[in-house]
Amino acid sequence: MTLKTTTAQIIKQVFPIDFHWPTIDPFLFCAYHKDSYPTANQDLGPSGSLAGRNLGMDFQIKDGFRMYHGTKIPGFPAHPHRGFETVTIVQTGLVDHADSIGAAGRYGNGDVQWMTAGKGIQHSEMFPLLNKTEANPLELFQVWLNLPKASKFVEPHFTMFWGPQIPSVRQEGVSVKVVAGKLETPKSLIPLMPPPNSWAASLDHQVAIWLITLDKDAQWTLPTASKETGRSLYFYGGDSARFGELTLGVNHGLTVAADMPLTLKNLGQAPASFVLLQGKPIGEPVVQHGPFVMNTKAEINTAIDDYRKTQFGGWPWPRQDMVHDVGLKRFARFPDGKREEPKP
């Protein structure tokens, strides 16, 4: 395709997206989960038969949903992390969290959990189905954000951003949910504060995680950042949209220059939905082995050995696929015993 010079300067790369989305430094990974779970059974799993699934490793959509690593309840039973952070943005549905440092929670329907794995943690992320009479849809994003070498062995930490406290902008058919970063608007927004050792904790690193929605015919121009800042944009919901002079159908990602404005316009009948990931690169070597992200192969070997010896604190819960009581509403319980619930 031939692009006008200005658009060609801004858009560096275009690529298809599906379940796993390509990312650039300082991001490591982004997964988009969208599952149409049916009514729940008595065990908080999907009603009906699970025959024909590769249970324990079920990543193919069948009957509208996946079980992932779950065998009875969908989700991700206990597994370790070291050296990076997870940012879990739940648009619809619920996630039950439990971890090796004794923290627990149930969050979703607009909430975000930001967890710094640091020197090592085990956690489980299960998707309990609570509704026995209606469907249980799930939509979430999980973003992996790298940590610099100086922060890879910090103490594990997690922060909850409850839906009502997450700043957002709504104007002229445009909605922007600001999970991370500073967005200049006529009405001042107070940025959320990520965990203290996050690369996003300093506004100088220009980390941004924005969820953008454009109504029919609406348009919005991305504000600029510094030239050295990396920026990726993912068009995951809707029909078609224009990016400058380039028109794309849904399920495309773009790597774009952050220092030049880019106007997005929804060309479809349905709302157009985008995720923006942005940040200055950490610029250090990245060596990844599954859930461990370090700077050298030797550090990966140490991580594997440490996990075998210590289990990163062990597992204090009665089951690997830990879910909480069906009657509990959204909550977070931190390692110090503090309990938190979303405010209306």
Side-chain angles (χ1 to χ4, degrees):
M1 62 185 72
T2 301
L3 307 179
K4 290 185 178 180
T5 302
T6 53
T7 300
Q9 289 174 335
I10 299 171
I11 299 176
K12 301 178 180 180
Q13 185 182 16
V14 176
F15 47 88
I17 58 173
D18 188 7
F19 173 50
H20 290 162
W21 297 351
T23 57
I24 57 176
D25 188 3
F27 298 96
L28 300 163
F29 170 93
C30 182
Y32 176 47
H33 301 261
K34 187 173 184 179
D35 294 278
S36 300
Y37 293 110
T39 55
N41 62 23
Q42 62 186 12
D43 297 319
L44 307 188
S47 61
S49 174
L50 297 178
R53 294 178 178 273
N54 184 21
L55 291 177
M57 190 66 72
D58 179 25
F59 284 79
Q60 297 297 318
I61 288 282
K62 182 178 185 294
D63 300 327
F65 66 91
R66 296 157 284 203
M67 291 293 288
Y68 301 102
H69 291 311
T71 56
K72 294 183 178 180
I73 300 167
F76 297 84
H79 57 281
H81 292 304
R82 171 179 278 185
F84 64 100
E85 303 182 277
T86 62
V87 184
T88 308
I89 305 164
V90 187
Q91 298 285 78
T92 305
L94 295 168
V95 175
D96 274 6
H97 167 91
D99 65 39
S100 57
I101 57 177
R106 170 172 288 165
Y107 63 98
N109 294 326
D111 303 329
V112 174
Q113 185 202 65
W114 196 308
M115 187 185 79
T116 303
K119 69 180 184 180
I121 190 172
Q122 282 193 79
H123 74 154
S124 63
E125 305 160 284
M126 304 307 299
F127 310 147
L129 310 184
L130 303 186
N131 199 322
K132 292 184 177 181
T133 60
E134 297 180 8
N136 290 272
L138 175 80
E139 182 182 31
L140 69 82
F141 310 91
Q142 185 165 92
V143 178
W144 288 15
L145 176 61
N146 200 11
L147 288 170
K149 184 178 181 65
S151 300
K152 285 192 178 293
F153 285 89
V154 298
E155 291 295 324
H157 183 99
F158 86 85
T159 299
M160 284 303 312
F161 298 148
W162 302 109
Q165 80 181 91
I166 299 174
S168 62
V169 176
R170 292 181 178 85
Q171 57 187 28
E172 299 178 359
V174 178
S175 173
V176 184
K177 183 174 180 177
V178 183
V179 175
K182 185 177 181 181
L183 178 59
E184 298 289 350
T185 67
K187 182 179 179 181
S188 178
L189 293 179
I190 300 174
L192 297 174
M193 294 305 297
N197 292 295
S198 173
W199 187 246
S202 169
L203 290 176
D204 290 341
H205 295 153
Q206 297 189 43
V207 173
I209 302 175
W210 298 343
L211 278 63
I212 305 162
T213 303
L214 304 182
D215 292 343
K216 179 185 175 183
D217 297 326
Q219 66 179 40
W220 188 61
T221 299
L222 299 177
T224 59
S226 64
K227 186 174 183 178
E228 64 269 27
T229 299
R231 174 178 282 179
S232 298
L233 186 66
Y234 307 90
F235 178 28
Y236 72 92
D239 301 314
S240 64
R242 184 178 295 140
F243 303 81
E245 299 299 325
L246 174 65
T247 297
L248 291 172
V250 72
N251 295 326
H252 280 90
L254 306 88
T255 304
V256 303
D259 61 330
M260 291 183 275
L262 178 65
T263 298
L264 316 178
K265 182 171 183 178
N266 182 9
L267 302 179
Q269 298 298 309
S273 301
F274 311 83
V275 171
L276 180 142
L277 298 180
Q278 169 189 292
K280 286 186 178 179
I282 293 173
E284 296 178 352
V286 174
V287 181
Q288 180 175 351
H289 180 82
F292 306 133
V293 182
M294 305 302 292
N295 297 108
T296 67
K297 177 63 176 175
E299 290 170 338
I300 290 291
N301 291 337
T302 298
I304 295 171
D305 190 51
D306 287 349
Y307 177 62
R308 286 172 177 164
K309 290 178 179 177
T310 70
Q311 297 294 293
F312 293 162
W315 190 248
W317 305 97
R319 51 192 288 182
Q320 296 287 301
D321 59 345
M322 184 63 193
V323 289
H324 307 302
D325 291 344
V326 66
L328 289 175
K329 298 185 183 296
R330 289 147 55 215
F331 76 96
R333 190 180 73 230
F334 297 90
D336 63 1
K338 178 185 174 183
R339 185 182 175 91
E340 187 177 281
E341 295 180 0
K343 297 177 181 179

